[in-house]
């Protein structure tokens, strides 16, 4: 099926069948017909109900085989056990898309999942695409094609506009639509994907990218499915200049597989999803208000405003100092600064009749006319000492909009300097004025600060590194299961990462050629965390101490883990360091390969300090990760401390991320912990690597 045909049948059907439509206006199953008649749908509607010849004034048909013409889309509202029996009729009626409102499928447990899988298999065999099951439906607000039972469409005045919403939660669709509509935001399309058994969020996003009525796409997510398809659609949206803003529910539960390393705990599903969304240009918000309030910023400036190369600076102009302070406080918590006007700017404005205090908040309370306010705004928007301008209005926004709101509307606004407004009172009329003018207006200081921080630190356009040829897995190493530290070190060395000199010796023959001091470790596939089992000794200064410590260590390990298989003992050269980091890799079940850089040592577990990216990364992206990890400031010139070799660290991060391109094995998880940063390079001191069946390069 061509995308254009699929998108038309999904989002703009010309003929619709409603299977299970009720003649009782009070029932949910009567709603789609009522809604479409109410909101002016001009296509053909065919109610299907074997017990009635007429439904709400429309001719009814006993089954799909009785229809007088072909349909594009069928909305099924019969009990779940009867859905499968309708699919063949859908195909014969010419439908391309079937939306299943019925529940009782994958959301109910193993039996429901089996029924859902069978339903999808049947649909594919018939050439049908399924939305749902357990979908509350979808709507084309412009055409009035409301294939939904959501009560929000009872509204007398549906506001058509450029926003489109894709939601994994049907119940949240109405809440979001009503909240946004109250603020003057109109919608083009809304789609509830339900159980997402067939048609995925990514496919809907792709259809919306191609939809001329959609200018921005909102996502309400509970999890992530079909990441490659979604990634392609998000990249297409970015290329088309259609911003995608997402709200995702909280962190996913961590599975047993994450217990193999610290990496799993540091980069759980939610953190991996966050990295995925950023990599594909999505603005992920933390509050429902920001989900739509940020849209004017993204639409108006997303392709033109440069990304600040430093901490973003916001010029704050206000007629109410207290309200402005609440926003400035929130900006500071998100790493932005309220910019203080420099001397020359203050002098220039004084020459224009406006005296300013040199402070982070430019307070004009009772000190400026509307014309002066507009003049100051225009000069701020032309200034080179701020990256954005925020206008904060008090009661004037509600009772005297000519003093602070209209000047913002009238002001000349360049396309490369973002401007936004926070209205402290409940000034709905003024917010709607700003919305009509395409100016971002905010109702709370929290959403205002969140939106500005997200936008001024928005992801750069998607750029994937040159992945290069796959890395061939060493033939002499196991291709599944957990490697020993000694074996993992061989893989890391093949990637080009320096590894501390290590010798594997037998318990009864501890001879080696390394200089003292050395570390002593037990080698076992069954002990990924050797320290917990007492399997590590450090700072050993001579052979006699080595013999004594080895005996003590083995005895302690056997007491702690008597069933563990021991492959031998590792003797490792002790290395110096300026900083201890952890470098991790994981094949995330939702988004695929990720690479993680974080602060090492015990403190890292108390206060995680990490940067995460989709893998592989190049050296430039690795350097960005280094700058995100706060602990690396200690080796980047902080207070005159010795500087570490961050170039070598970036090369190591990029090299490690090539575990995403292994041929001949599938790396499920790997970790270097610790990775020492030195003045003249980096060196891996310990590590683990776990493999699963498959081939990473083709996964």
């Amino acid at each position: 099926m061509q995308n254009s045909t699929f998108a038309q049948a999904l989002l703009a059907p010309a003929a619709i069948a409603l299977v299970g439509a009720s003649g009782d206006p009070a029932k949910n199953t009567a709603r789609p017909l009522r809604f479409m008649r109410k909101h002016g749908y001009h296509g053909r509607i065919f109610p299907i109900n074997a017990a009635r010849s007429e439904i709400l004034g429309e001719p009814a048909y006993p089954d799909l085989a009785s229809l007088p013409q072909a349909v594009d889309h069928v909305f099924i509202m019969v009990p779940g056990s009867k859905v499968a029996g309708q699919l063949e009729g859908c195909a014969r009626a010419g439908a391309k898309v079937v939306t299943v409102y019925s529940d009782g499928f994958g959301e109910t447990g193993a039996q429901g999942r089996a029924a859902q899988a069978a339903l999808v298999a049947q649909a594919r065999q018939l050439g049908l695409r399924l939305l749902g099951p357990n979908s509350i439906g979808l709507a084309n607000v412009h055409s009035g094609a409301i294939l939904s039972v959501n009560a929000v469409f009872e509204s007398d005045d549906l506001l058509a506009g450029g926003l489109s919403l894709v939601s994994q939660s049907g119940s949240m669709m109405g809440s979001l639509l009503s909240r946004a509509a109250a603020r003057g935001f109109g919608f083009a399309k809304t789609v509830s994907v339900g159980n997402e058994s067939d048609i995925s969020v990514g496919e809907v996003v792709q259809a919306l990218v191609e939809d001329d009525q959609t200018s921005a796409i909102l996502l309400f997510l509970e999890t992530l499915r079909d990441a490659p398809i979604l990634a392609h659609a998000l990249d297409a949206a970015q290329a088309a200049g259609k911003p995608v803003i997402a709200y995702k529910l909280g962190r996913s539960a961590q599975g047993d597989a994450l217990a193999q390393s610290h990496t799993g705990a540091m980069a759980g599903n939610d953190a991996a999803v966050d990295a995925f969304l950023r990599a594909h240009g999505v603005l992920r918000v933390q509050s429902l208000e920001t989900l739509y309030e940020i849209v004017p910023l993204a639409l108006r400036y997303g392709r033109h405003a440069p990304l600040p190369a430093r901490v973003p600076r916001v010029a704050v102009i206000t007629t109410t100092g207290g309200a402005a302070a609440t926003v400035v406080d929130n900006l500071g918590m998100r790493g932005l600064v309220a910019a203080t006007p420099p001397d020359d700017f203050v002098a220039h404005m004084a020459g224009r009749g406006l005296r300013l205090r040199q402070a982070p908040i430019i307070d004009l309370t009772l000190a400026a006319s509307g014309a002066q306010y507009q003049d100051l705004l225009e000069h701020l928007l032309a200034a080179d000492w701020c990256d954005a301008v925020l206008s904060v209005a008090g009661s004037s926004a509600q009772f005297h909009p000519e003093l602070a709101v209209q000047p913002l509307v009238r002001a000349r606004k360049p396309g490369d300097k973002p401007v936004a407004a926070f209205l402290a009172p409940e000034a709905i009329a003024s917010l709607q004025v700003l919305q009509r003018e395409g100016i971002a207006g905010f109702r709370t200081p929290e959403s205002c600060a969140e939106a500005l921080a997200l936008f001024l630190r928005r992801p750069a356009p998607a750029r994937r590194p040159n992945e290069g040829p796959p890395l061939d897995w060493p033939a002499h190493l196991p291709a599944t299961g957990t490697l020993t530290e000694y074996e993992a070190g061989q893989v890391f060395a093949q990637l080009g990462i320096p590894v501390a000199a290590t010798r594997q010796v037998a318990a009864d023959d501890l001879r080696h050629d390394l200089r003292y001091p050395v570390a002593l470790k037990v080698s076992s596939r069954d002990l990924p965390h050797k320290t917990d089992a007492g399997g590590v000794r450090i700072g050993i200064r001579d052979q006699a101490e080595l013999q004594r410590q080895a005996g003590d260590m083995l005895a302690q390990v056997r007491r702690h883990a008597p069933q563990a298989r021991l492959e031998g003992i590792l003797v490792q050269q002790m290395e110096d360091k300026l900083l201890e980091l952890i470098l991790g890799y994981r094949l995330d079940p939702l988004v695929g390969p990720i690479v993680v850089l974080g602060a090492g040592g015990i403190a890292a577990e108390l206060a995680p300090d990490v940067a995460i990216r989709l893998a592989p990364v190049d050296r430039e992206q690795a350097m960005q990760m280094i700058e995100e990890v706060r602990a690396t400031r200690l080796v980047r010139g902080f207070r005159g401390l010795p500087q570490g070799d961050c170039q070598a660290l970036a090369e190591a991060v990029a090299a490690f991320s090539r575990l995403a391109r292994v041929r001949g094995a599938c790396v499920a998880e790997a970790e270097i912990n610790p990775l020492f940063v030195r003045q003249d390079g980096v060196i891996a001191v310990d590590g683990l690597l776990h493999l699963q069946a498959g081939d990473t390069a083709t996964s």
Side-chain angles (χ1 to χ4, degrees), residues 98 160 176 190 304 334 462 695:
V98 177
L176 291 168
T190 69
H304 306 290
R334 289 167 171 81
D695 188 330

Side-chain angles (χ1 to χ4, degrees), residues 469-516:
L471 175 72
D472 288 319
W473 186 253
H476 68 284
L477 294 180
T480 58
T482 301
L483 300 190
T484 67
E485 178 190 339
Y486 188 65
E487 292 168 336
Q490 295 175 55
V491 177
F492 302 154
Q494 184 169 328
L495 290 168
I497 300 170
V499 178
T502 306
R503 304 291 182 264
Q504 182 164 298
V505 299
D508 57 356
D509 185 359
L510 298 176
R511 289 176 296 175
H512 61 89
D513 59 352
L514 302 178
R515 59 177 171 77
Y516 287 96

Side-chain angles (χ1 to χ4, degrees), residues 126-431:
L126 293 168
L128 299 170
R129 299 303 310 277
L130 288 184
L131 183 67
N134 196 31
S135 165
I136 205 166
L138 68 159
N140 182 327
V141 180
H142 286 268
S143 72
I146 314 294
L147 286 84
S148 177
V149 302
N150 197 311
V152 72
F153 298 110
E154 297 280 9
S155 171
D156 292 332
D157 299 305
L158 279 183
L159 186 60
L163 300 187
S164 284
L165 170 65
V166 188
S167 179
Q168 290 176 330
S169 167
S171 61
M172 283 305 300
M173 283 183 54
S175 300
L176 291 168
L177 261 67
S178 60
R179 283 169 176 257
R183 296 282 307 284
F185 288 89
F187 282 80
K189 313 292 191 299
T190 69
V191 182
S192 159
V193 296
N195 292 356
E196 211 172 342
S197 66
D198 179 26
I199 297 174
S200 66
V201 168
E203 290 180 280
V204 179
V205 170
Q206 184 64 54
L208 294 172
V209 170
E210 300 164 8
D211 176 42
D212 292 338
Q213 294 171 333
T214 296
S215 56
I217 301 168
L218 311 184
L219 304 179
F220 186 93
L221 302 175
E222 296 169 341
T223 185
L224 217 63
R225 300 185 182 96
D226 292 329
I229 294 174
L230 180 57
H232 177 79
L234 294 175
D235 292 345
Q238 196 170 37
K242 295 190 177 185
V244 180
I245 302 102
Y247 179 98
K248 181 185 174 296
L249 294 178
R251 297 183 181 277
S252 302
Q254 300 302 298
D256 292 340
L258 303 187
Q260 286 291 324
S261 72
H262 295 90
T263 301
M266 294 165 64
N269 293 144
D270 190 70
V273 168
D274 198 59
F276 172 88
L277 294 175
R278 283 191 58 83
H280 295 288
V282 178
L283 297 171
R284 181 183 179 183
V285 302
Q286 299 299 317
S287 70
L288 290 177
E289 294 285 327
T290 314
L291 183 63
Y292 48 85
E293 287 182 334
I294 197 175
V295 169
L297 268 180
L299 278 175
R300 189 165 191 153
Y301 304 104
R303 306 193 86 175
H304 306 290
L307 288 167
R310 59 197 168 271
V311 175
R313 305 159 301 172
V314 181
V316 181
I317 176 174
T318 186
T319 59
T320 169
T326 64
V327 182
V328 169
D329 190 35
N330 277 276
L331 289 173
M333 289 190 292
R334 289 167 171 81
L336 276 61
V337 296
T340 299
D343 293 339
D344 58 346
F345 186 86
V346 172
H348 176 75
M349 294 310 300
R352 299 180 66 83
L354 193 60
R355 295 187 176 278
L356 307 179
R357 288 179 56 229
Q358 210 162 11
I361 296 176
I362 305 172
D363 194 344
L364 300 183
T365 304
L366 304 178
S369 65
Q372 288 175 311
Y373 198 98
Q374 179 180 337
D375 185 49
L376 176 58
L377 276 169
E378 291 177 344
H379 279 79
L380 289 172
L381 287 167
D384 62 1
W385 50 270
C386 61
D387 303 302
V389 177
L390 173 62
S391 173
V392 181
S395 297
S396 60
Q398 187 175 9
F399 301 108
H400 300 287
E402 70 277 3
L403 296 179
V405 177
Q406 288 302 324
L408 185 58
V409 171
R410 293 191 299 265
R412 293 186 300 273
K413 295 177 279 293
D416 60 352
K417 174 75 73 73
V419 63
F422 163 51
L423 308 187
E426 191 69 16
I428 296 298
S430 288
L431 283 171

Side-chain angles (χ1 to χ4, degrees), residues 585-658:
Y585 167 89
R586 185 160 73 93
L587 189 59
D588 184 84
L590 297 183
V591 307
I594 59 171
V595 62
V596 182
L597 180 69
I602 297 174
E605 298 180 32
L606 298 176
D609 177 16
V610 300
I612 303 172
R613 293 291 189 280
L614 302 187
V617 298
D618 59 21
R619 191 163 65 174
E620 180 183 344
Q621 292 167 320
M623 189 61 73
Q624 293 170 357
M625 295 177 68
I626 293 168
E627 292 171 355
E628 287 178 22
V629 177
R630 297 184 300 275
T632 64
R633 294 177 60 196
L634 297 173
V635 292
R636 292 191 283 122
F638 183 72
R639 295 191 176 183
L641 291 173
Q643 295 199 31
D645 192 341
C646 288
Q647 289 297 327
L649 176 57
E651 290 171 2
V653 173
F656 196 69
S657 76
R658 289 183 63 215

